Amino acid sequence: MRAVAVILSAAAFAGIVIAQLLRLSTPVVDLPALVGERIPVSGVAHPVTAVLLNFRGYDTLLEIGVLLLAAVIVLAARGDEPAMNPAALPSAEPPIQMFARATTGPMIVVAVYLLWAGAYQPGGAFQAGAVLAAMAVLLYLAGVTGNWAKPGMALRAGLTGGFLLFLGVAASLLIRGVLLQYPVEHAGQLILLIEAGLTVSLGLILASLFLFLAADPPR
Amino acid sequence: MNSGLVFAMAGTLLFALGTAGVLLVRALFRRILAFNVMGSGAFLVLVGLAQRTGPPDPVTQAMVLTGIVVAVAATALALALVRRLHALTGRLEIQQRNDE
Amino acid sequence: MSELLAWLILLPLAWAAVAFLIGPASGGPIAIVALAVQLGMSIRVGIAVQTSGPQLHAVGGWGAPLGIDLFADGLAVAMILMIQVVALPVAVYARSYFDASAREARYFWPLTGFLVAGLNALVLSTDLFNLYVALELIGLSAVGLVAAGGAAAQVNAALRYLIATLVASGAYLFGVALLYGVYGTVSTATLALLVSKDAPGIAWVAGGLLTVGLMVKTALFPFHFWLPPAHGKAPAPVSALLSALVVKASFYLLLRLWIGPLRGLEPGLALASLPALLGGAAILWGSYQAIRAEGLKRLVAYSTVAQLGYLFLIFPLLGRPGAIQAAVMQAVAHALAKAGMFLAAGVLTKATGQDSVAGLSGAAQRLPVSIFAFGLAGMSLMGLPPSSGFLAKWLLISVSLANGYWIIAAMTLIGGLLAAVYVFRVLRQAFVATTEQVVLHPVSAASEWAALGLAAASVVLGLRGVELMRLLEV
């Protein structure tokens, strides 16, 4: 009974919204034009990166906070995961291990390229960080590295480093006057610096979301 | 009727589908999947509607990037909790009774 | 001076990250010092708003709608003060409440830091999408605090809370997507100028989605189902933060939306009465369950469900003079009282080693400070003068009678009577003298006094309520 009610209301909702969507006129405010006007002073050439790291950089700051928060909660909510023996995984076979090791180098290069290219084309810290995280997971699945049982100081520093760097840059800019207002001549360099720190941290955070949980629960 | 509006309509359908899924399905993994479908629906509407008038809108693309990251964080958290629930109780559904 | 708005967000983010960096269960002293600094900053912002008017900080220097603006008027300042004033004693309490080896304590400090950062960010933001990210920061950290190191019951409660809050955020985000599609901006200031009575139907759908999403997050009846397990099963300092602050944040946002960007829709009496009806139902249902509850923390959690109902009685009155003041007074009074009550309940359950109301016999003799704190908090919840709870209900009654809504006034009085029933249930049990030896676990004095401090603040605020009212006029 409840199922029918929910399905009917969902269908009705979708129908109403779609019907309304077809009758929309053009919006009053033209943000893309505003973005286009300000690109030259934003420090990067690609509009999405400019919005992400400059115009709405504050959103990005909070969002990294959310991601770091997720990593902390994953740690807080799990049991005492024992350290896994990497060789025990079913996928830890020599051909796969060889492949994983061989791709490590190229993956790092791709990540650095994505980070650098973000100023001119789609790319940037998130994409680069995702590639690094994928590399870490691949190495785990191939049995080359183990799971992360207890994060030591070095790992915690890596996880929080990018975020703290971003906060540090934001704070120093705030002391000068306005939060996240980059001086125009240095905007590009500051953005690259922040993104570089974020790449490493994001890679570690995303990898940790998997690797903190990787041990099999006791049967 | 341009591609932007088609994306928006598809997004609306996905959102409705996802919401119905989260509310009706009992199995937790499927509920998490349904939540992701909901999120994708909202993102499609964001990007699609903004594109209906002309060139792609960088603001909505940036918003969706942020939204995807937030959804990943939430999904990871949900999975960690489901895993813990399973390890502690062997169940993969939320206990409905308000136990005292 | 407007930079303080940004510092109020940067600082908690920083100490959250540092608290995680320096290792599990550390970070308490840093958090307490930082919260005290934040409280000082909030007071300075309040003074600035009173003397020179609302403060605006355009992040990045761009200004809305291209950039994101931080904004503080009297309403925002009241919320900011409430957040820091509650968080600081709870932090002091938490430091001594958790055993050194407790699993829940390992990540309490980073999680609390992210929570406070999210709360401050939400109150000060004027950008709908930025508000979404802040809502997620708050929601996820709240879920994390409930689940941290917990047993099956807590993880279960956390999962239920997580699913409810994620569906709510999803609805909110969809509403934001629709609004951006119609108007091309997500800045609340710009939207307030653009949204009018002849908005396309889809703006109404968006408004509805935003409202329902935020109602779920504020645990309005019938969306309250996730609250009693989550607030009842979490450790006491976590319950205090959740009941006092987290649910108030989504209510504040709801209020902001309807006196700001969505005001142009002019919803009319019928639609505005719906939240009031649900609020009335919340008062009745929540009080009934609190009176019936066996567990002490569960009783206090259901009391939250009931008290949140008062906040929604305001909606038909929005726009009349005094309505916002009444809502804010109720929010602040409840935050102080409920935090004090949960902290006191935490001391009682820890000392008696169990969570039931029946097991409190003899507590009055041995834990007088905590029982006194519970009583003072109860006084504010019941609405006895001179507490701030009384002031809040008095404001609500006078605004509703001045506009002819006698039924709202009646509901307020009924709610106060019902609160008296469940508060006296606890107090009466505590004063039952027992002849058997009651074994009490040691509880630190700091915990008891932190609870008393908050409860007393709730009562004392009633005497100084005039200042708060004047602040809200800005």
Side-chain angles (χ1 to χ4, degrees):
Chain A
M1 193 55 240
R2 179 168 165 252
V4 174
V6 170
I7 294 177
L8 280 180
S9 12
F13 168 80
I16 294 175
V17 172
I18 290 178
Q20 295 284 338
L21 285 179
L22 292 169
R23 292 165 36 191
L24 276 182
S25 49
T26 49
V28 177
V29 179
D30 190 2
L31 270 185
L34 269 178
V35 170
E37 276 170 41
R38 304 293 166 86
I39 285 264
V41 293
S42 67
V44 291
H46 191 62
V48 176
T49 310
V51 173
L52 212 43
L53 263 299
N54 196 335
F55 304 133
R56 297 184 68 101
Y58 174 50
D59 266 348
T60 307
L61 181 66
L62 289 186
E63 159 203 10
I64 308 286
V66 170
L67 207 47
L68 181 56
L69 169 68
V72 174
I73 300 179
V74 164
L75 264 181
R78 70 171 192 180
D80 291 316
E81 310 272 340
M84 267 274 294
N85 178 9
L89 277 176
S91 49
E93 308 205 348
I96 299 182
Q97 288 181 334
M98 199 180 74
F99 174 76
R101 286 202 173 95
T103 56
T104 306
M107 276 180 123
I108 296 183
V109 171
V110 167
V112 172
Y113 170 72
L114 280 174
L115 168 66
W116 183 260
Y120 311 95
Q121 327 162 17
F126 294 101
Q127 292 84 334
V131 171
L132 288 178
M135 179 184 85
V137 171
L138 180 64
L139 286 175
Y140 168 79
L141 287 176
V144 175
T145 59
N147 68 327
W148 293 346
K150 251 180 159 8
M153 188 59 166
L155 181 56
R156 292 198 305 262
L159 288 168
T160 54
F163 186 55
L164 286 172
L165 175 64
F166 199 171
L167 282 174
V169 173
S172 40
L173 291 171
L174 183 57
I175 293 175
R176 291 187 51 196
V178 181
L179 179 64
L180 287 179
Q181 184 174 39
Y182 306 108
V184 180
E185 338 63 82
H186 299 302
Q189 297 155 340
L190 279 173
I191 289 179
L192 187 59
L193 174 67
I194 292 175
E195 288 211 281
L198 283 181
T199 301
V200 175
S201 278
L202 280 173
L204 285 172
I205 293 176
L206 289 172
S208 76
L209 293 179
F210 181 86
L211 289 174
F212 280 156
L213 293 177
D216 289 321
R219 301 241 166 267
Chain B
M1 168 81 83
N2 55 33
S3 63
L5 272 181
V6 174
F7 285 140
M9 296 194 297
T12 308
L13 283 172
L14 282 177
F15 179 80
L17 201 65
T19 312
V22 178
L23 293 177
L24 293 179
V25 177
R26 291 266 68 86
L28 276 170
F29 279 127
R30 293 196 193 159
R31 290 179 99 163
I32 298 174
L33 274 175
F35 159 68
N36 276 312
V37 171
M38 262 181 85
S40 301
F43 300 148
L44 265 179
V45 169
L46 252 179
V47 170
L49 273 188
Q51 255 176 251
R52 72 182 190 277
T53 48
D57 180 346
V59 177
T60 47
Q61 309 235 338
M63 283 191 211
V64 165
L65 264 175
T66 303
I68 291 176
V69 171
V70 170
V72 164
T75 304
L77 169 52
L79 288 172
L81 288 182
V82 169
R83 209 159 176 283
R84 181 85 179 128
L85 184 70
H86 178 72
L88 288 173
T89 65
R91 278 196 326 264
L92 281 174
E93 295 180 4
I94 294 185
Q95 179 82 308
Q96 279 304 347
R97 267 275 303 129
N98 269 342
D99 36 339
E100 267 288 10
Chain C
M1 197 44 57
S2 71
E3 315 81 55
L4 285 178
L5 300 184
W7 283 116
L8 278 170
I9 300 161
L10 285 188
L11 201 52
L13 285 176
W15 63 260
V18 169
F20 175 64
L21 179 63
I22 59 185
S26 331
I30 298 181
I32 292 174
V33 167
L35 280 168
V37 170
Q38 281 165 229
L39 180 58
M41 287 181 181
S42 313
I43 295 175
R44 286 189 65 190
V45 172
I47 295 174
V49 168
Q50 279 243 271
T51 50
S52 20
Q55 304 282 310
L56 183 78
H57 187 93
V59 179
W62 306 106
L66 180 63
I68 299 170
D69 284 344
L70 298 176
F71 178 71
D73 60 359
L75 176 58
V77 168
M79 291 274 117
I80 282 284
L81 282 170
M82 178 185 86
I83 294 167
Q84 307 335 293
V85 165
V86 169
L88 183 53
V90 172
V92 171
Y93 176 95
R95 191 115 197 279
S96 46
Y97 177 84
F98 289 119
D99 301 322
S101 57
R103 298 204 52 171
E104 300 105 356
R106 278 206 296 211
Y107 294 102
F108 177 82
W109 298 107
L111 291 176
T112 304
F114 281 118
L115 179 64
V116 172
L119 289 167
N120 286 354
L122 181 133
V123 170
L124 295 173
S125 176
T126 59
D127 181 284
L128 287 181
F129 186 76
N130 188 247
L131 285 166
Y132 166 73
V133 185
L135 278 173
E136 291 293 84
L137 198 51
I138 296 172
L140 294 186
S141 51
V143 168
L145 282 168
V146 173
Q154 279 164 302
V155 175
N156 197 52
L159 266 172
R160 191 190 251 131
Y161 183 10
L162 180 63
I163 297 209
T165 205
L166 287 180
V167 171
S169 306
Y172 177 89
L173 181 62
F174 198 78
V176 172
L178 291 177
L179 279 178
Y180 186 89
V182 177
Y183 293 105
T185 173
V186 283
S187 153
T188 55
T190 318
L191 281 173
L193 299 171
L194 294 174
V195 176
S196 69
K197 220 165 157 36
D198 23 73
I202 210 162
W204 281 93
V205 175
L209 282 166
L210 295 172
T211 303
V212 170
L214 290 171
M215 279 182 182
V216 172
K217 282 185 181 276
T218 317
L220 177 63
F221 184 92
F223 306 119
H224 66 287
F225 57 88
W226 57 265
L227 192 145
H231 292 204
K233 296 197 157 67
V238 172
S239 307
L241 289 173
L242 262 44
S243 266
L245 300 179
V246 172
V247 287
K248 303 299 176 355
S250 39
F251 173 74
Y252 161 84
L253 184 54
L254 198 53
L255 203 61
R256 257 298 176 214
L257 288 178
W258 284 103
I259 62 178
L262 298 179
R263 187 183 50 200
L265 290 177
E266 290 177 25
L269 189 55
L271 221 49
S273 302
L274 190 58
L277 275 171
L278 294 177
I283 295 177
L284 293 174
W285 177 251
S287 305
Y288 168 65
Q289 289 287 54
I291 294 171
R292 275 189 55 205
E294 303 262 327
L296 179 60
K297 301 246 299 276
R298 199 170 188 82
L299 183 153
V300 183
Y302 268 111
S303 162
T304 301
V305 173
Q307 294 281 320
L308 287 172
Y310 285 106
L311 294 174
F312 286 93
L313 292 176
I314 262 299
F315 276 93
L317 300 164
L318 270 187
R320 316 299 172 93
I324 303 285
Q325 275 86 329
V328 172
M329 201 56 175
Q330 169 64 20
V332 174
H334 177 253
L336 293 170
K338 191 45 63 73
M341 194 177 252
F342 260 121
L343 295 189
V347 170
L348 292 170
T349 52
K350 195 165 183 217
T352 58
Q354 47 86 59
D355 186 45
S356 75
V357 176
L360 286 178
S361 322
Q365 298 161 269
R366 292 171 186 92
L367 295 163
V369 177
S370 298
I371 293 295
F372 188 44
F374 196 94
L376 278 183
M379 206 174 121
S380 193
L381 291 183
M382 288 186 262
L384 290 177
S387 67
S388 52
F390 163 74
L391 188 52
K393 291 172 178 57
W394 183 73
L395 284 170
L396 185 54
I397 291 176
S398 54
V399 174
S400 50
L401 286 179
N403 291 286
Y405 292 90
W406 60 266
I407 193 159
I408 294 182
M411 267 323 304
T412 312
L413 289 172
I414 293 175
L417 288 173
L418 291 173
V421 175
Y422 57 75
V423 170
F424 279 117
R425 233 192 100 200
V426 175
L427 292 177
R428 196 191 55 207
Q429 188 66 31
F431 277 98
V432 164
T434 52
T435 47
E436 62 196 52
Q437 264 301 77
V438 176
V439 177
L440 285 185
H441 306 252
V443 180
S444 82
S447 314
E448 292 199 84
W449 287 97
L452 182 61
L454 278 169
S458 178
V459 173
V460 166
L461 180 61
L463 299 167
R464 314 291 308 168
V466 177
E467 269 83 357
L468 184 58
M469 298 297 102
R470 231 180 303 135
L471 181 64
L472 289 169
E473 269 152 41
V474 180

